[in-house]
Amino acid sequence: VRFMWSLFWLLPIQIFLMIGLFDYYRVMEVWIKHFWGDASMAYLRGLFCEEGTENDECVVPIMGGEEYKNEKAWCLAKYNSTRCEYIRNEAQYECTVASYIFFTSNGVWALILVFLIWVTLSVLQAIISMPIVQRSKESNIPLWLTLPIVGCFGLGYILLYAPRSMTVKQSSQDLYWIGLCYFVSGGAFALAAVVGCFLKFYSVLNRREKKFKQGI
């Protein structure tokens, strides 16, 4: 039973992390483009830039930076060449493709793992027997719902009441509805926890009470 509940705790965390592996808004592409010349990207530049250019031609800034008109002017001034933009773009493209392949493949493996956890839970519940599983759920569901309750109310509070910058204030209406949805979700989880507590402490003395408890 303890192993079953450890899987119950692991499953939503696994699903949450799996969703985070899929880059729906192409954040990785933007990050690579704008932080390409940063020291934190040195390892990736060494992998994808032409040999010997990872700290030179390959780090040409976007539009040539502040001191130059464009990438070509930057490259001519520093290296007497016009290939800097081409070298950088090719390296960034290869890095972006490799990153998407890496994260997507990990997302697929995570999805397979979620399926295996679900199959394991189904087999465990069949082995343990449904009456024992039912009693265990009645005892542990309120505790199991603690994490989503705290998470939903916490995120809702941050979105609705935390101090905001001027940029965030411009989209405060959208944030208001998102925060409100988090509060509603937290309330639904809290209601489910209350029902779980009721089922946990509600004793069955006859067949009528048993049907009432099953109906809840």
Side-chain angles (χ1 to χ4, degrees):
V1 175
R2 291 180 179 177
F3 179 62
M4 180 188 72
W5 276 104
S6 67
L7 292 181
F8 269 124
W9 277 98
L10 179 63
L11 184 59
I13 298 174
Q14 177 70 19
I15 293 173
F16 178 78
L17 295 176
M18 176 195 69
I19 293 172
L21 286 170
F22 295 98
D23 190 2
Y24 306 100
Y25 298 103
R26 297 188 175 276
V27 176
M28 177 61 68
E29 186 174 343
V30 175
W31 179 68
I32 289 174
K33 182 177 181 180
H34 289 278
F35 286 88
W36 185 248
D38 193 77
S40 61
M41 301 287 285
Y43 177 74
L44 293 177
R45 291 199 306 270
L47 290 177
F48 297 103
C49 292
E50 291 184 9
E51 186 176 357
T53 65
E54 62 270 15
N55 294 314
D56 299 311
E57 292 95 328
C58 198
V59 296
V60 53
I62 299 173
M63 300 299 294
E66 298 179 357
E67 299 179 2
Y68 298 92
K69 185 177 180 180
N70 51 39
E71 288 94 337
K72 185 178 180 180
W74 184 93
C75 197
L76 284 170
K78 290 183 175 293
Y79 301 103
N80 195 27
S81 172
T82 58
R83 297 186 67 248
C84 299
E85 185 178 4
Y86 171 79
I87 294 171
R88 183 201 64 191
N89 290 345
E90 284 295 310
Q92 288 181 350
Y93 174 77
E94 293 177 7
C95 183
T96 302
V97 171
S99 299
Y100 281 128
I101 292 173
F102 175 77
F103 285 109
T104 303
S105 60
N106 276 276
V108 172
W109 281 114
L111 181 61
I112 294 172
L113 181 57
V114 167
F115 175 74
L116 291 176
I117 293 175
W118 177 78
V119 171
T120 305
L121 282 170
S122 301
V123 173
L124 276 174
Q125 292 180 71
I127 293 173
I128 296 172
S129 77
M130 286 308 297
I132 297 176
V133 171
Q134 187 67 29
R135 288 196 297 270
S136 178
K137 286 183 178 180
E138 291 174 1
S139 301
N140 292 284
I141 281 293
L143 179 63
W144 188 68
L145 291 173
T146 302
L147 183 62
I149 290 172
V150 174
C152 286
F153 281 124
L155 288 172
Y157 178 83
I158 291 172
L159 290 173
L160 289 179
Y161 301 111
R164 300 168 186 167
S165 65
M166 292 300 296
T167 304
V168 174
K169 286 180 180 179
Q170 295 175 3
S171 58
S172 58
Q173 190 66 24
D174 295 334
L175 291 177
Y176 170 80
W177 288 110
I178 295 173
L180 186 62
C181 287
Y182 271 115
F183 270 111
V184 172
S185 299
F189 282 123
L191 180 61
V194 171
V195 173
C197 290
F198 174 77
L199 293 175
K200 177 180 179 180
F201 295 107
Y202 184 81
S203 58
V204 176
L205 301 177
N206 53 51
R207 184 175 297 179
R208 181 181 177 184
E209 293 180 349
K210 181 178 181 181
K211 289 183 178 180
F212 174 74
K213 187 172 183 178
Q214 289 175 342
I216 297 177

